[in-house]
Structures are given as C-alpha cells and as structure tokens.
Amino acid sequence: MTSPEDWMLDLAAGPSIESVVLDFRNWVLDEGLRGATMDDLVRGAGERLTAAGVPIDRFFVSVRVLQATVIARSTTWHSNGAIRHDSFDWAERDAGLYERSPIKVAQDTREWVSLFLAEIPNDAYGIVPDLKEQGMTHYIVAPMYFTNGAVSAASFATRAPNGFGNRSRLILEGIMPSFGRAVELIAMNQMVGDVLSIYVGEDPARQILEGSVHRGQITHIRSAILFADMRDYTRRSNSLSAADISDLLNEYYDCVVPHIEAEGGHVLKFMGDGILAIFPDEECGKRQACRAALRAARKSILTVTRRNADTPHGDAFTIGIALHHGRAAYGNVGSGERLDFTVIGRDINLTDRIQKLNSKFSVPILASKEFAALIDEPMTPLGRHVVRSYESGLEVFEPNSLMDVA
C-alpha cells in the first residue's frame, strides 16, 4: 500500500489536479463527443489521463443496454493501445458471475471500490486472479450515474508498484462526472437504435432515426419476400396457457429467425405465429436475394424437423413458408401522434395468399411464379389456384428438395 510519503510525492507530480480536470472536462464535452464512438471516447480518455501522469494500464467502461439477450456491453482500453469489446448476457448474470464482481458492489452502494490486489484473496471477486495475472497492483471501480436513474461503471487498473496515488485518485474523481455524461450520450444514442431494431427491424430503425416519423412516408423496395407461419397455431393456442404459448412461439421463432438473419434477410413483422421478412435486391441482386430466401426457408424447415426429433411426442409443431419476389412497401401509418411502422402492398398480400395455399397443400415451402423464375434450379409446378382477391388464380411451385442444391 502507498506510504504517506508516497502520497505527498504523488500530489506534487505533474500538472495541477485542477488544470488536468478542467482540460479533460473541456475535451470530453467538445472533441470527445464530436461524432465519437465509445471506442474513440474511451481511447481518448485513457490517453489523456496517461499523459497527465495517471498510471492507467487498463481502462474498462461497462454500459447497460436494452437488448433481448444482452444486459451490458463493455469497452476496455489497454495502455499498449489495444481495444477490447465484451458483452454480458442474461445467462451469465443468472450463473452468478455478476454477483461476484466489484462492479456490482459499486452499483449497489453507489460508492467507489478500491482494491489493493496484494491484499485481496483470489476468491474475493471473480476478476481478481485475472488482474493479478496481468501484473495489476491496484484496481478502482467508479459508478457512473445516468439521468434516467441507471448506474453503469468504469474501472481503472495499474501495474504501478504503489498503485494509484492520491493525485491520481483525485483526478479520477474529478473527471468522472463529465466522462459519465459523455458515456451516457453515446450509450443512449446506441440504445435508441437497439430498441428500435428489436421492435421494427434494422433497416426501418435506421430510417426512423434518420427522420422518417411522419404519417404516409413510405419506402418501396424490390426484394424476395418470405412469410412463415406455424401449422394449427389457433387450435394449439386455445388449449395452452399464456406462458406456454409464449414459450412455444419463442421456440418457433428460434428455428426461423436466425436463418433469415444469417442469409442477410430482415424480419419486418411478427404477427402472432406469422414471420414476415424481406431479402432486398439492392444488397446482392434479385437472383441472389431469392437464393438467400430459399436457403433460409430450407434451413428453417430442417431446424424444426431436428427440434421435433428431440422433443417429446405431442409437443412437435410444423411450419409452412411462402416465398415471392416483388415490391415491398413499408413506412408510417396511424393517427395523430400514434404511428406504426408496418409493411403494406400488393406483393405482401400476394405472399400472404400463397401462405394460405401452403396450408391447404401442407407442403413445407411454396413459391410464386415470379420467385420460381429467379431460382436456378427446377421446381415442381402445383398448378394455378384461385384465392381471395386473385380470381384469375396464382401459379405456385414447390422446391424439388429441402436440401440446398447450390
């Protein structure tokens, strides 16, 4: 631990505490926020503090996020210039990792935590052995208070033999209020985008954030269109509790959505047991968009089949997927200040009608004539069929195989 003599020497070293804190505050609220990412902010802060004589070897910033699976993200700057990113999911928290963290202590007590590592047993906190292995001598956690009441955290670690002296500690205490405001602004911008992406999809979220917030503003896009639904969902839902229905839908979504996203598709809507997604032409061309949609459909069907094989009898479900290529239109509809970012148009309705035929034929995948013409493999024609609003009928096709032939 630092001796009283070392504290005094540390106080006398380098620029004054007041000038360091003032310079940092001016930087962080001006250049530090001018188009900065979290990486830019953390790197810039670490470098400025080091230049001011604060012996930081590891600077960690953790921020709570609003995502379905992730509870927090962190950015770590090392004195060698390296930047590391980590995310912490709900499963890790449930496993007790957060409970053994000094960050939890700082967030719960809203007090700074200071650990001279030579005095701390390895089993006191989960991070202690790792810090010791890295040669760290002193570890400090500082809570960061956001205006919405949330508490995030930053931590500082050093290899300096005597740890952080009094001057360094006073500088860190002085810069944290302004640094916390900067972190909050960047984090909140990211959080808004994350929340919008969760509920409306990535591309609609981008458009909303760019100003598409007035009624009647519509975007047209050429794309492959995928519509999936679960067979016999209405009967199932009438016999299940709300919790069981939720579990069933989540399992179903887990069988389909990852494949859509892996193939470059965008889920635009969840409609009960319906999943509506598009694969835009502009990203890869219309033939490749259709190929990606067909791959996602095949992988989804096979995933459901494997899931059913591992599930007790009676809990199995089947799905049907309709595929079409056309023009999707999505944007704002609503009344007054209440809007919905939804998808509309003739080709969306046509895909829905194909889905109804899919249920009638009980085939896994059914495609329109327009879609089949863009796929470089043979498909089996199932004839022309009259459906609501299409009295002349729709020609539909079935893939010859559920395995990808490309």
Side-chain angles (χ1 to χ4, degrees):
M1 184 178 296
T2 307
S3 68
E5 292 80 8
D6 289 330
W7 287 110
M8 296 304 296
L9 287 172
D10 181 67
L11 281 170
S16 71
I17 294 168
E18 293 78 6
S19 66
V20 172
V21 171
L22 180 60
D23 287 346
F24 186 94
R25 184 183 303 153
N26 291 338
W27 168 79
V28 79
L29 297 179
D30 183 20
E31 292 180 42
L33 279 177
R34 197 177 298 164
T37 64
M38 194 67 76
D39 282 10
D40 296 329
L41 182 67
V42 174
R43 180 187 294 108
E47 290 173 350
R48 294 183 76 84
L49 290 170
T50 300
V54 181
I56 300 173
D57 289 297
R58 179 184 183 273
F59 181 20
F60 168 94
V61 175
S62 173
V63 178
R64 174 74 185 272
V65 299
L66 292 180
Q67 287 198 344
T69 57
V70 177
I71 187 172
R73 292 196 192 101
S74 69
T75 303
T76 306
W77 172 83
H78 295 271
S79 55
N80 63 3
I83 289 280
R84 172 173 170 167
H85 304 102
D86 291 288
S87 59
F88 306 93
D89 60 30
W90 288 97
E92 289 174 322
R93 183 179 181 123
D94 293 342
L97 297 179
Y98 175 70
E99 297 296 322
R100 299 184 59 242
S101 169
I103 289 177
K104 181 180 187 301
V105 176
Q107 290 176 327
D108 287 350
T109 63
R110 294 179 174 251
E111 299 287 343
W112 288 53
V113 175
S114 178
L115 304 177
F116 286 95
L117 295 170
E119 303 171 359
I120 305 298
N122 283 356
D123 59 358
Y125 300 103
I127 195 174
V128 168
D130 291 338
L131 291 171
K132 289 182 178 179
E133 185 176 343
Q134 296 169 35
M136 303 301 175
T137 59
H138 193 183
Y139 177 71
I140 293 176
V141 182
M144 289 188 295
Y145 313 110
F146 288 0
T147 52
N148 65 358
V151 183
S152 289
S155 71
F156 310 89
T158 182
R159 295 186 180 91
N162 294 321
F164 293 109
N166 200 36
R167 175 178 177 273
S168 296
R169 173 64 182 260
L170 291 173
I171 288 173
L172 294 179
E173 289 177 351
I175 63 96
M176 280 308 297
S178 58
F179 182 75
R181 294 290 76 76
V183 169
E184 179 177 12
L185 286 172
I186 294 175
M188 287 302 172
N189 284 337
Q190 181 64 52
M191 194 175 292
V192 169
D194 287 344
V195 172
L196 283 173
S197 294
I198 288 171
Y199 287 101
V200 302
E202 186 175 339
D203 191 59
R206 178 185 56 78
Q207 293 196 42
I208 291 170
L209 290 173
E210 290 176 354
S212 298
V213 292
H214 64 273
R215 188 172 68 168
Q217 187 165 351
I218 299 294
T219 295
H220 295 275
I221 187 169
R222 299 287 298 182
S223 67
I225 304 168
L226 181 153
F227 196 135
D229 80 345
M230 184 188 298
R231 304 270 194 241
D232 207 18
Y233 171 74
T234 301
R235 181 190 62 79
R236 284 174 172 274
S237 61
N238 287 338
S239 62
L240 295 174
S241 67
D244 288 339
I245 293 171
S246 176
D247 289 342
L248 179 65
L249 283 174
N250 286 333
E251 283 197 59
Y252 156 53
Y253 294 152
D254 283 344
C255 289
V256 179
V257 174
H259 298 305
I260 293 172
E261 294 178 341
E263 295 295 340
H266 307 290
V267 174
L268 296 185
K269 278 286 182 181
F270 292 111
M271 298 165 287
D273 66 320
I275 301 172
L276 180 61
I278 61 171
F279 297 76
D281 290 2
E282 62 186 23
E283 297 180 10
C284 58
K286 59 186 179 181
R287 291 186 179 278
Q288 288 302 316
C290 289
R291 169 57 62 190
L294 182 55
R295 281 197 301 268
R298 283 169 161 155
K299 291 175 182 178
S300 298
I301 297 295
L302 292 176
T303 300
V304 170
T305 301
R306 294 190 188 102
R307 179 263 178 200
N308 289 339
D310 297 332
T311 301
H313 181 69
D315 290 332
F317 62 81
T318 56
I319 67 172
I321 296 177
L323 299 170
H324 177 53
H325 184 273
R327 198 179 190 196
Y330 57 98
N332 294 299
V333 297
S335 177
E337 294 299 316
R338 181 64 177 90
L339 299 177
D340 183 26
F341 205 94
T342 192
V343 61
I344 55 176
R346 173 189 178 277
D347 287 302
I348 299 299
N349 295 336
L350 189 150
T351 311
D352 176 68
R353 300 300 185 267
I354 295 172
Q355 181 58 55
K356 299 295 191 296
L357 287 174
N358 187 307
S359 299
K360 173 183 175 181
F361 288 120
S362 293
V363 297
I365 302 172
L366 202 60
S368 69
K369 177 182 178 181
E370 293 82 356
F371 187 95
L374 293 170
I375 291 295
D376 53 356
E377 65 177 85
M379 285 192 167
T380 301
L382 298 183
R384 179 181 292 272
H385 303 270
V386 175
V387 295
R388 183 165 58 90
S389 301
Y390 292 88
E391 286 72 17
S392 62
L394 296 176
E395 288 187 64
V396 290
F397 296 78
E398 181 184 9
N400 289 350
S401 171
L402 289 180
M403 300 300 293
D404 194 34
V405 299

